[in-house]
């Protein structure tokens, strides 16, 4: 979560003026940064907060986020009923724990855990926590192997592409692991096998492969990376596991690319995480992480809590959280089934391909991806287009409510500014065509009225999305 700094004293007494129509109280002012001395009626409080929130963007028009922004009314009712249930309290809410267990088993089957492997897993608050847990398991296993062999275990490193989500940078900083980034280049926008293998050595705790890059929606070739690590083991003796960060792709590839070998079918894949609140189609607050076998999850990391007179093994960074999202995940599994998920994800991909195809025809754009992996694609302006930037276009689209992010790629490609569109359930073909109409209109406007571009240091501050 973002860090917020206390306001200075001159601002602490700012007040929110409340419309007198809303209230029956004598005072119509509420302190903005201090706790009010007295409360107000519930409807008054509701209206005050609603008025503040109307300045937020429309979540359905947010084409930057991978996070679910629409669910069926029945799912919303179920989540409201389960919001007060604390997931950590397995004794009081045993059936919520049972639904979590069923979801883990459904995912182990979906991700092709080997029969009899006793794949283990749990829910989390999202993929960021799931990645932390996956990274910790890699680190603990590496340390145990090194110590058992009488070797130094103080210099771990983790290999990944520069396109990883920031949670992996956090993991490395918090657990003092050296991050070894493979930079992006124009001909290769994500991690490949040879580049991953070249960064590995005896201190490498694992390689992170991304199934659905946040930069452009593309899948990293998990099988190719694994085979490159097979060669490393054969030549150098280093047995390096793979963790697949399938935050988005874990709920897409099984349905749209069922023959793609990225999951536990690849023997070197030790663990997988995914976000239930992305293409798992649940509102924010749920992720999943699974390990191929119990051996892949060190016993030292597991805590055991009392559960119906027995013990329940747990592994988490978070503690209390509502059971609503887990119940909603199970609702989706029951409601949609494999056929329903396939239909939803295919509809998203059809819209993404339609949009990318039409954008490619407009003239000034160059597609970097089309949406054939995730229903996500990135595009840039051609190098000869200098009268306006992707930032200008992003800002003009926002005038109509569209939130289409513009940002630069990481180190080595910071001179490449792109736009990216994420298609999620709830974004229809009709909305896609309305977006195309607005895009064409604003392109005509910018072509007739070229924009003076600010210097690079100011241009960089115009980014409308952070990974």
């Amino acid at each position: 979560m973002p860090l917020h700094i206390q306001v200075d004293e001159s601002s602490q007494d700012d007040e929110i003026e409340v419309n007198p129509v809303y209230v029956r109280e004598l005072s119509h002012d509420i302190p903005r940064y201090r706790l009010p001395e007295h409360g107000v009626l519930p409807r008054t409080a509701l209206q005050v907060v609603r008025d503040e929130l109307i300045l937020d963007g429309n979540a359905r028009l947010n084409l930057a986020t991978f996070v679910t922004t629409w669910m069926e009314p029945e799912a919303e009712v179920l989540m409201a009923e389960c919001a007060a249930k604390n997931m950590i309290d397995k004794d009081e809410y045993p059936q919520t724990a049972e639904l979590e267990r069923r979801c883990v088993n459904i995912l182990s089957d979906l991700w092709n855990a080997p029969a009899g492997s006793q794949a283990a897993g749990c829910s989390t608050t999202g993929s960021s926590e799931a990645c932390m847990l996956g990274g910790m398991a890699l680190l603990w296993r590496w340390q145990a192997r090194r110590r058992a062999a009488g070797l130094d275990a103080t210099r771990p490193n983790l290999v990944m592409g520069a396109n990883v989500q920031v949670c992996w940078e956090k993991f490395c900083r918090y657990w003092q692991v050296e991050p070894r980034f493979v930079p992006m280049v124009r001909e290769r926008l994500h991690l490949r096998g040879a580049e991953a293998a070249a960064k590995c050595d005896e201190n490498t705790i694992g390689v992170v492969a991304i199934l659905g890059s946040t930069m452009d929606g593309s899948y990293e070739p998990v099988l190719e990376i694994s085979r490159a690590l097979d060669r490393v083991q054969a030549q150098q003796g280093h047995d390096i596991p793979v963790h697949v960060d399938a935050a988005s792709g874990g709920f897409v590839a099984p349905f749209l690319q069922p023959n793609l070998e990225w999951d536990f079918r690849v023997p070197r894949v030790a663990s997988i995480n995914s976000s239930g609140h992305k293409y798992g189609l649940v509102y924010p607050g749920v992720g999943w992480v699974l390990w191929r076998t119990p051996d892949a999850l060190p016993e030292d990391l597991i805590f055991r809590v009392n559960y119906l007179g027995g013990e329940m093994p747990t592994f988490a960074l978070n503690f209390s959280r509502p059971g609503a999202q887990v119940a909603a995940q199970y609702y989706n599994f029951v409601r949609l089934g494999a056929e329903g998920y396939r239909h939803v994800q295919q509809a998203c991909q059809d819209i993404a391909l339609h949009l990318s195809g039409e954008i490619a025809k407009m003239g000034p754009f160059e597609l970097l991806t089309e949406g054939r992996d995730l229903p996500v694609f990135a595009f840039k302006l051609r190098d000869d287009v200098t009268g306006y930037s992707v930032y200008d276009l992003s800002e003009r689209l926002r005038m109509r409510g569209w939130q289409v992010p513009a940002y630069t790629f990481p180190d080595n490609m910071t001179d490449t500014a792109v736009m990216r569109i994420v298609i999620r359930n709830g974004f229809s073909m009709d909305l896609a065509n309305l977006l195309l109409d607005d895009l064409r209109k604003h392109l005509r406007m910018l072509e007739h009225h070229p924009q003076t571009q600010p210097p690079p240091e100011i241009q960089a501050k115009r980014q409308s999305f952070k990974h």
Side-chain angles (χ1 to χ4, degrees), residues 13-199:
D13 292 325
D14 285 357
E15 294 180 331
I16 300 171
E17 293 187 9
V18 181
N19 188 323
V21 172
Y22 299 160
V23 298
R24 295 183 220 168
E25 293 85 351
L26 293 176
S27 172
H28 297 162
D29 296 324
I30 297 173
R32 194 182 301 272
Y33 300 110
R34 296 182 189 274
L35 191 67
E37 190 67 29
H38 303 287
V40 296
L41 294 170
R43 288 186 178 274
T44 303
L46 175 64
Q47 193 61 54
V48 167
V49 177
R50 276 181 173 167
D51 284 355
E52 292 275 327
L53 293 176
I54 61 176
L55 292 174
D56 278 349
N58 185 329
R60 292 278 296 281
L61 299 181
N62 183 355
L63 298 175
T65 184
F66 288 76
V67 172
T68 296
T69 55
W70 181 86
M71 290 190 75
E72 292 175 313
E74 293 83 357
E76 293 182 337
V77 170
L78 178 63
M79 292 186 73
E81 291 174 355
C82 296
K85 296 182 179 181
N86 188 355
M87 270 296 301
I88 201 64
D89 197 340
K90 314 295 186 185
D91 191 34
E92 292 297 324
Y93 308 113
Q95 206 57 29
T96 302
E98 169 61 18
L99 296 189
E100 180 185 31
R101 188 168 75 98
R102 293 180 194 176
C103 288
V104 167
N105 277 270
I106 288 168
L107 289 172
S108 68
D109 178 67
L110 191 66
W111 297 341
N112 294 289
S117 65
Q118 295 185 299
C122 61
S123 68
T124 64
T125 55
S127 263
S128 290
E129 183 187 7
C131 289
M132 297 284 177
L133 301 184
M136 289 169 67
L138 293 177
L139 177 59
W140 259 247
R141 286 180 64 201
W142 174 82
Q143 289 175 332
R145 291 196 305 270
R146 298 285 291 179
R147 289 166 181 158
L151 299 171
D152 177 65
T154 62
R155 294 182 297 157
N157 66 69
L158 182 66
V159 173
M160 52 199 153
N163 56 308
V164 294
Q165 214 268 353
V166 69
C167 66
W168 287 107
E169 298 180 50
K170 290 181 180 179
F171 166 76
C172 289
R173 185 177 300 179
Y174 295 164
W175 275 272
Q176 297 182 312
V177 175
E178 176 197 352
R180 291 192 174 176
F181 295 114
V182 174
M184 296 170 65
V185 296
R186 289 188 181 275
E187 301 76 26
R188 180 185 46 74
L189 298 181
H190 57 225
L191 187 66
R192 301 298 297 262
E195 289 75 19
K199 292 279 187 179

Side-chain angles (χ1 to χ4, degrees), residues 274-289:
S274 194
S275 289
H277 61 224
K278 292 180 181 173
Y279 286 99
L281 309 181
V282 178
Y283 283 144
V286 63
W288 302 94
V289 57

Side-chain angles (χ1 to χ4, degrees), residues 319-362:
F319 198 70
S320 295
R321 58 188 174 92
Q325 284 79 2
V326 167
Q329 185 73 82
Y330 188 66
Y331 167 89
N332 277 343
F333 288 158
V334 171
R335 165 75 175 89
L336 295 173
E339 182 181 11
Y341 264 98
R342 190 176 301 111
H343 179 74
V344 168
Q345 314 302 32
Q346 187 62 63
C348 290
Q349 188 170 71
D350 290 345
I351 294 168
L353 292 172
H354 169 68
L355 272 174
S356 65
E358 291 300 310
I359 286 172
K361 295 176 186 176
M362 291 181 185

